[in-house]
């Protein structure tokens, strides 16, 4: 079913007192143990950051120019990756004037982009960087209320967008994510880790810590990506004052649905990330080695704008060795703790991190308790889920089904006609799949023009590209296996 709820009352206590529904310890336990998305309500009513609307931020920045990413509002079957977008620098005042359609924009930085045709997004803005001369405002953000003492705006990221601004469907390799909605509303389309093979993962464009989907969730092309029918979407609209928990490795496509939106998030690093760093180091080495060997004149923009350059092999090898070393140091520190660990998820240590943070030289924790995420739920996990205090202050984001969906998404079927489905990114076909089906499903689709009339590949017309090869070689399941083999080899 789809869960609908009204925005919470942000300050419903008397005489300025703010009583939160969860203690910091309980909130942290929920964040670290819950493996399904959920929305916290009435937890941030006393945060000064709730006043961080775009107009307020414009005054605080006082004419400082920040970078915006611009994309077309028209929807096609190809995701608007960052390599397909335009970029410009502008003040928030200029952005607000443009988003309101004011005549003053005819000569400003947005003059070449009609508001009716484009959206703009100031995304991934590290608060510590853009407000480096005003560190006092870091304390307006109080993640300590969620059990992370000392975590503030300094470890957070700011997002400011116009209606239609979106982030392509992807998963974050590291950590889990807490997202506070400040102004306007955003719609989140979330997919569980078990749907990975149905989302056609790709590492092109390449960015460390981001695995993109080749499917445009807003307009899925079922002709080229038929397995997308088997995904299970969890869709929620986040309103001001609410905080969304995005668990580890959950796919998400995010879109702004109001004229101006402002969000603040913080990625919570997990100890299990040390294995993910080994996987990312392997991926970087392979992608850079193979793509760098191509003819640069081919015009393939394979490197995401957030990556400065294709790092040389020697540097990538050094990073891999450091990631492996950090993994074993974490394992060694964990040995004496395993016997007495009663709640691995709730006891995990965390430290400041951000999704697009450059590779750390050390990556070495003081200690850790590894958390194993598996497909499905064991009896213990099901019991733990039953103990989660869902209710008006913690709302579970449930899977969407045809019967309960309130919106439609256009999916392009194999005959080329647009069909309106009752569910937006939800089940497009069978509701369940077995673990065996997940393991044996094909993540690398064959282009339609290379198929015979009976649906089988046409060998005479097959022309595989480098990216086709990479989609298989650095597929998450393949990289996970390679990392395990590499760690076993190193352990010996």
């Amino acid at each position: 079913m789809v869960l609908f709820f009204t925005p919470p009352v942000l300050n419903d206590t008397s005489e300025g007192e703010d009583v939160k529904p969860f203690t910091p310890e309980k909130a942290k336990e929920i964040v670290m143990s819950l493996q399904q998305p959920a929305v916290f309500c009435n937890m941030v009513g006393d945060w000064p950051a709730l006043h961080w609307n775009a107009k307020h931020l414009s005054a605080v920045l006082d004419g400082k120019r920040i970078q915006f990413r611009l994309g077309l509002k028209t929807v096609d079957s190809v995701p608007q990756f960052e390599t397909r977008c335009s970029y410009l620098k502008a003040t928030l005042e200029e952005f607000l004037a443009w988003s309101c359609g004011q005549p003053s924009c005819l000569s400003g930085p947005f003059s070449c982009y009609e508001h009716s045709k484009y959206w703009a997004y100031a995304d991934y803005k590290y608060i510590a960087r853009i407000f480096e001369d005003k560190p006092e405002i870091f304390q307006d953000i109080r993640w300590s209320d969620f059990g992370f003492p000392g975590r503030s705006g300094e470890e957070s990221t700011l997002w400011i967008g116009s209606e239609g601004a979106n982030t392509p469907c992807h998963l974050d390799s590291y950590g889990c994510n807490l997202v506070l909605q400040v102004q306007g509303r955003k719609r989140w389309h979330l997919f569980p880790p078990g749907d990975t093979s149905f989302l056609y993962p790709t590492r092109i464009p390449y960015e460390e810590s981001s695995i993109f989907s080749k499917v445009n969730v807003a307009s899925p092309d079922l002709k080229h990506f038929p397995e997308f029918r088997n995904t299970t979407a969890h869709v929620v609209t986040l309103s001001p004052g609410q905080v969304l928990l995005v668990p580890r490795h959950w796919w998400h496509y995010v879109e702004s649905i109001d004229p101006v939106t402002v969000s603040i998030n913080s990625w919570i690093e997990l100890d299990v990330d040390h294995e993910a760093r080994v996987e990312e180091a392997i991926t970087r080495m392979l992608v850079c080695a193979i793509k760098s060997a191509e003819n640069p004149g081919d015009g393939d923009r394979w490197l995401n704008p957030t990556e400065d350059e294709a790092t040389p092999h020697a540097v990538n090898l050094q990073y891999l060795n450091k990631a492996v070393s950090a993994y074993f140091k974490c394992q060694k520190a964990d040995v004496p703790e395993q016997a007495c660990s009663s709640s691995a998820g709730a006891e995990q240590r965390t430290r400041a991190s951000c999704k697009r943070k450059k590779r750390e030289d050390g990556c070495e924790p003081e200690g850790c308790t590894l958390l194993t995420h598996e497909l499905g739920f064991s009896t213990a996990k099901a019991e733990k889920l039953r103990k989660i205090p869902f209710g008006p202050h913690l709302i579970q984001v449930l899977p969407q089904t045809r019967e309960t969906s309130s919106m439609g998404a256009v999916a392009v079927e194999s005959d080329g006609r647009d069909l309106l489905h009752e569910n937006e990114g939800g089940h497009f076909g069978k509701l369940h799949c077995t673990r065996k089906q997940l393991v044996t499903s094909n993540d690398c689709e064959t282009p339609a023009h290379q198929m015979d009339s009976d649906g089988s590949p046409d060998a005479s017309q097959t022309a595989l590209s480098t990216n086709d090869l990479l989609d298989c070689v650095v597929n998450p399941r393949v990289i996970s296996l390679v990392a395990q083999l590499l760690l076993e080899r190193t352990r010996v």
Side-chain angles (χ1 to χ4, degrees), residues 231-252:
T231 59
T232 306
H234 297 59
V235 182
V236 63
T237 299
L238 200 64
S239 298
Q242 298 174 336
V243 176
L244 174 66
L245 165 64
V246 181
R248 181 176 185 263
H249 285 185
W250 272 72
W251 292 83
H252 45 285

Side-chain angles (χ1 to χ4, degrees), residues 123-258:
D123 51 358
Y124 299 101
K125 299 299 178 240
Y126 299 130
I127 292 174
R129 190 174 302 165
I130 64 174
F131 295 112
E132 59 185 350
D133 57 337
K134 299 178 177 64
E136 65 277 2
I137 74 168
F138 297 164
Q139 303 310 313
D140 286 5
I141 301 166
R142 304 169 180 173
W143 297 114
S144 57
D145 286 341
F146 288 84
F148 304 100
R151 183 178 289 264
S152 64
E154 193 170 9
E155 297 83 23
S156 302
T157 311
L158 183 66
W159 310 68
I160 306 168
S162 65
E163 185 175 2
N166 64 81
T167 304
C169 187
H170 68 284
L171 71 77
D172 302 324
S173 302
Y174 307 142
C176 61
N177 193 3
L178 287 173
V179 186
L180 165 65
Q181 193 63 28
V182 176
Q183 179 181 359
R185 296 168 300 156
K186 277 187 174 178
R187 182 171 293 123
W188 287 71
H189 304 246
L190 301 118
F191 302 87
D195 280 357
T196 293
S197 62
F198 305 142
L199 287 161
Y200 299 84
T202 183
R203 296 313 299 261
I204 304 297
Y206 174 76
E207 172 185 272
E208 181 181 350
S209 82
S210 293
I211 304 177
F212 292 103
S213 168
K214 298 176 78 171
V215 182
N216 184 350
V217 171
S219 180
D221 183 351
L222 300 181
K223 177 180 178 181
H224 290 93
F225 309 112
E227 291 297 314
F228 183 73
R229 299 170 182 270
N230 300 323
T231 59
T232 306
H234 297 59
V235 182
V236 63
T237 299
L238 200 64
S239 298
Q242 298 174 336
V243 176
L244 174 66
L245 165 64
V246 181
R248 181 176 185 263
H249 285 185
W250 272 72
W251 292 83
H252 45 285
Y253 166 80
V254 191
E255 57 181 336
S256 298
I257 60 175
D258 281 331

Side-chain angles (χ1 to χ4, degrees), residues 24-25 77 90 94 101 115 123 175 190 207-208 236 238 252 270-271 292 316 335 345 419 462 478:
E25 295 75 19
S77 61
E94 291 168 330
H115 178 255
D123 51 358
L190 301 118
E207 172 185 272
E208 181 181 350
V236 63
L238 200 64
H252 45 285
L270 305 174
D271 294 318
S292 296
N316 292 334
V335 170
L419 299 178
T462 300
V478 175

Side-chain angles (χ1 to χ4, degrees), residues 221-416:
D221 183 351
L222 300 181
K223 177 180 178 181
H224 290 93
F225 309 112
E227 291 297 314
F228 183 73
R229 299 170 182 270
N230 300 323
T231 59
T232 306
H234 297 59
V235 182
V236 63
T237 299
L238 200 64
S239 298
Q242 298 174 336
V243 176
L244 174 66
L245 165 64
V246 181
R248 181 176 185 263
H249 285 185
W250 272 72
W251 292 83
H252 45 285
Y253 166 80
V254 191
E255 57 181 336
S256 298
I257 60 175
D258 281 331
V260 177
T261 63
V262 176
S263 307
I264 298 170
N265 86 294
S266 187
W267 283 281
I268 309 299
E269 186 170 86
L270 305 174
D271 294 318
V272 73
D273 290 345
H274 288 283
E275 184 170 354
R277 292 190 187 281
V278 175
E279 296 175 356
E280 285 297 297
I282 296 169
T283 300
R284 172 178 283 272
M285 176 173 287
L286 292 173
V287 172
C288 288
I290 294 175
K291 293 299 291 185
S292 296
E294 283 189 317
N295 183 354
D298 290 346
D300 183 11
R301 301 175 65 184
W302 63 273
L303 202 61
N304 215 44
T306 53
E307 294 286 333
D308 294 333
E309 60 182 357
T311 45
H313 181 78
V315 173
N316 292 334
L317 182 60
Q318 183 182 33
Y319 174 44
L320 174 60
N321 277 280
K322 289 181 177 179
V324 170
S325 175
Y327 171 83
F328 283 114
K329 187 166 186 177
C330 175
Q331 289 277 303
K332 185 177 180 180
D334 183 52
V335 170
E337 299 178 13
Q338 289 180 346
C340 60
S341 176
S342 60
S343 180
E347 294 175 2
Q348 288 193 54
R349 297 171 58 87
T350 61
R351 59 189 173 93
S353 68
C354 57
K355 174 174 178 290
R356 298 193 170 193
K357 189 174 183 179
K358 293 301 180 183
R359 298 177 302 285
E360 297 173 284
D361 290 336
C363 300
E364 299 174 353
E366 298 174 4
C368 60
T369 303
L370 294 181
L371 176 65
T372 301
H373 292 256
E374 300 174 351
L375 293 177
F377 286 98
S378 64
T379 302
K381 289 178 182 176
E383 179 64 26
K384 181 178 290 187
L385 186 61
R386 281 194 290 271
K387 293 181 179 179
I388 297 293
F390 293 117
H393 305 299
L394 181 67
I395 303 175
Q396 188 178 6
V397 182
L398 298 175
Q400 209 170 19
T401 64
R402 294 181 181 224
E403 289 76 14
T404 57
S405 176
S406 64
M407 304 183 68
V410 176
V412 181
E413 287 283 9
S414 57
D415 61 1

